Amino acid sequence: MMPEATVPMEHALIVAALLFGIGLFGLMLRRNIIFMLMALEVMLNGAALAFIAAAAHWGNPDGQVMFLFILSIAAAEVSVGLGLVLQMRRQIRSLDMNDASQLRG
Amino acid sequence: MIPVLFYVAAAIAVGAAILAMTRSNAAHALIFLIVSLLGIAVLFFLLGAPFAAALQVVVYAGAIMVLFVFVIMMLNLGGNSQEKEHDLLSFEYWLVPGVMAGILLGELVIAINQTTNPLVSDPVLPKAVALSLFGPYMLGVELASMLLLAGLVGAYHLGRDFLVRNRERSS
């Protein structure tokens, strides 16, 4: 048992779950594609926090390795996503996801 | 002392994320999102991952958020420029994020001044991460580099305006 000045891993995981839930609700709530990309960032951060908390709890470097992978995935996702935002603005002159319905989805 | 820092940073990270998701102005939402990322970086530091915290600040709050800033300014989503300058001068827009970021900075100073990190008994040092990253996870590093290359090529392809020109020619 550690000295009393500790934070249980569960609390860090609760914070991670809260962040993930906020990102999920933001993704479902907003229709502006910029805000949807921001919500995706919040969700990725929640996942990263869960990995770091688990790595700290078990003293294992694998969690931090996964954080590095999440970082590179987020960088690639944001660059492609913002390129799509620019194309969307050029082609349909709107950032609303409901206007991008050419596929009749 | 350290648990208090953890809970304050967690509250700031969650609160700033909620505020970011509920703003109507994209530039204001982005400021709150950056504060949330900085709060998560402080959480990483307190959880014994200083290297991950530094990467969170440099790559996430720095590089990735700069992409968002470029696109938001390019698309002029923050209202017209004169109103935007007026917004910058009225302090109600930067007071809350500024106070949040100041609290996080104070926490970081306090946490760095602690000689030991009592939150975790044996923090995972960057050396162990590097040995794992370039040992058993070598294939993952190669795949991540290929993913970044694909993202680079994809962003370059999508960023050009040839799609609009093709459409005008065909119509």
Side-chain angles (χ1 to χ4, degrees):
Chain A
M1 193 63 192
M2 295 269 302
E4 77 279 7
T6 57
V7 173
M9 182 187 67
E10 286 77 14
H11 290 186
L13 290 182
I14 287 170
V15 174
L18 276 176
L19 282 170
F20 193 87
I22 290 165
L24 188 61
F25 274 106
L27 188 66
M28 294 191 292
L29 207 63
R30 308 305 294 257
R31 291 272 67 88
N32 189 318
I33 190 168
I34 294 265
F35 285 96
M36 293 174 81
L37 280 173
M38 286 187 195
L40 279 179
E41 294 305 307
V42 175
M43 287 172 76
L44 281 172
N45 271 286
L49 182 59
F51 272 119
I52 295 283
H57 186 252
W58 278 289
N60 196 324
D62 290 359
Q64 293 197 32
V65 172
M66 287 301 154
F67 168 73
L68 293 176
F69 289 153
I70 287 177
L71 207 60
S72 56
I73 287 169
E77 174 245 330
V78 164
S79 58
V80 174
L82 290 175
L84 284 171
V85 171
L86 294 180
Q87 281 298 330
M88 198 172 157
R89 177 76 165 194
R90 279 184 196 140
Q91 302 233 352
I92 64 176
R93 313 238 167 249
S94 164
L95 291 179
D96 197 322
M97 282 306 283
N98 292 330
D99 291 342
S101 58
Q102 288 179 337
L103 286 177
R104 306 272 178 263
Chain B
M1 192 63 194
I2 290 281
V4 177
L5 298 182
F6 180 89
Y7 291 117
V8 171
I12 287 177
V14 171
I18 292 173
L19 286 170
M21 290 297 103
T22 52
R23 293 303 96 179
S24 59
N25 188 317
H28 300 164
L30 193 68
I31 291 172
F32 279 111
L33 187 61
I34 292 171
V35 171
S36 175
L37 295 177
L38 292 177
I40 294 168
V42 171
L43 289 184
F44 286 174
F45 189 84
L46 294 176
L47 284 169
F51 183 58
L55 279 182
Q56 176 87 3
V57 173
V58 173
V59 178
Y60 240 122
I64 295 180
M65 288 303 121
V66 163
L67 284 179
F68 272 100
V69 171
F70 277 157
V71 170
I72 286 175
M73 294 303 159
M74 210 166 141
L75 301 181
N76 202 9
L77 293 177
N80 71 45
S81 60
Q82 201 170 359
E83 287 174 12
K84 210 169 357 186
E85 292 296 320
H86 189 71
D87 281 0
L88 292 177
L89 292 178
S90 72
F91 72 104
E92 61 178 306
Y93 289 109
W94 55 260
L95 183 66
V96 178
V99 167
M100 281 176 160
I103 292 171
L104 288 175
L105 178 65
E107 285 198 357
L108 198 61
V109 169
I110 293 171
I112 288 175
N113 277 330
Q114 309 268 336
T115 49
T116 59
N117 188 349
L119 202 57
V120 280
S121 52
D122 50 343
V124 181
L125 297 175
K127 186 182 177 186
V129 179
L131 285 175
S132 180
L133 191 63
F134 293 105
Y137 284 102
M138 196 66 206
L139 184 63
V141 174
E142 299 289 342
L143 289 174
S145 67
M146 288 169 72
L147 176 75
L148 286 174
L149 180 63
L152 174 69
V153 175
Y156 175 69
H157 179 75
L158 287 170
R160 292 189 295 168
D161 56 354
F162 74 102
L163 291 169
V164 175
R165 278 193 267 112
N166 282 351
R167 191 194 232 185
E168 283 167 357
R169 203 182 303 148
S170 65
S171 61

